[in-house]
Amino acid sequence: MTITMGPHARVCFTFDNMAEAADVGRGVRSAPLLAGSDPSLTVGFPRLYDLLAHHDVRATFFVEGWNGLHHPEAVAEIVTRGHELGMHGWTHEPWQGLEAAAERAAAERATTALAEASGIRPRGFRAPGGHRTAATEAILRDLGYDYDASLGDRMRPARLASGLAQVPFVWPCVDGFHYLRPDPVPAATVRDQWLDRLARVATEGGLFLLICHAFITGVDDARLAALDAVMEAAVKDARVTIQTAGEIARTIEACDA
């Protein structure tokens, strides 16, 4: 199967998770925090939105469906600000360990909650933890999804067996890969690694896709500055096109080799 990407090089900025959903999923919390007390919502998301607006960049936000019930205004804000809304499980379940029935129930519940909160039915999915199951593809197709943004063949967009588009990521382009360690990598080092990868894609072609989080990057000055530098470099580089994950998925063409 031959994959045609269109423009020579593409850049995609994506953001995962919202508020306390993952804590609820892990059993750390049983209910939302009091309004105005979650720093990812009060500090992280506003700062990310400001950064994106400053650079005039549209991004894709993959959030847990639980937020559609408990933070509907925050979910809706993603769409009203002109960004793309994707689904990221119900409460960030360890997706690859779900049985098919539980996976389908979580996907259906999350899709409905996000659609009701935002007025837009999500068309893209990223598996919590990064890995799909053997049932994921069929479940997404049944629910009307256009693409999957989980782990794949490195960072090579493709079409899965059913025709579902895939816009994959790699771990070194995830903020948590560097920062959620006992000894976090300095933000300046992460910045330089990402800038190097961006420069290679701009020269050689392909996809450069980042995943950041409001609770990791959005609330930290140095990490936000690192993302700012990468975004600025992408915007200024005439060799690349910045697109949402959904826009990239729609331009993947598959034909027989």
Side-chain angles (χ1 to χ4, degrees), residues 235-247:
V235 169
K236 290 183 175 179
D237 196 326
R239 297 171 296 175
V240 306
T241 300
I242 300 176
Q243 295 180 303
T244 65
E247 288 170 340

Side-chain angles (χ1 to χ4, degrees), residues 19-113:
E20 320 93 319
D23 287 342
V24 172
R26 291 196 302 269
V28 176
R29 295 195 60 81
S30 60
L33 293 167
L34 295 175
S37 60
D38 183 278
S40 74
L41 288 179
T42 59
V43 178
F45 272 88
R47 296 177 80 184
L48 293 176
Y49 289 143
D50 287 348
L51 181 64
L52 290 164
H54 175 72
H55 292 294
D56 194 23
V57 167
R58 291 183 67 232
T60 302
F61 288 78
F62 294 95
V63 302
E64 303 90 344
W66 180 90
N67 293 290
L69 293 184
H70 298 281
H71 300 292
E73 298 86 358
V75 171
E77 186 175 8
I78 293 171
V79 174
T80 59
R81 285 182 175 270
H83 300 296
E84 180 186 18
L85 173 65
M87 189 263 284
H88 197 43
W90 175 249
T91 53
H92 208 272
E93 302 82 358
W95 204 259
Q96 68 186 64
L98 294 178
E99 295 184 357
E103 180 181 4
R104 183 175 291 274
E108 290 175 348
R109 189 181 186 190
T111 301
T112 298

Side-chain angles (χ1 to χ4, degrees), residues 5-13 55-59 157 167 198 201-203 205-210 230-231 233-245 247-249 251:
M5 279 291 291
H8 184 59
R10 300 191 188 195
V11 174
C12 184
F13 294 97
H55 292 294
D56 194 23
V57 167
R58 291 183 67 232
V167 184
L198 171 63
V201 168
T203 299
L207 173 65
F208 173 76
L209 182 150
L210 282 186
V230 175
M231 201 172 291
V235 169
K236 290 183 175 179
D237 196 326
R239 297 171 296 175
V240 306
T241 300
I242 300 176
Q243 295 180 303
T244 65
E247 288 170 340
I248 292 170
T251 60

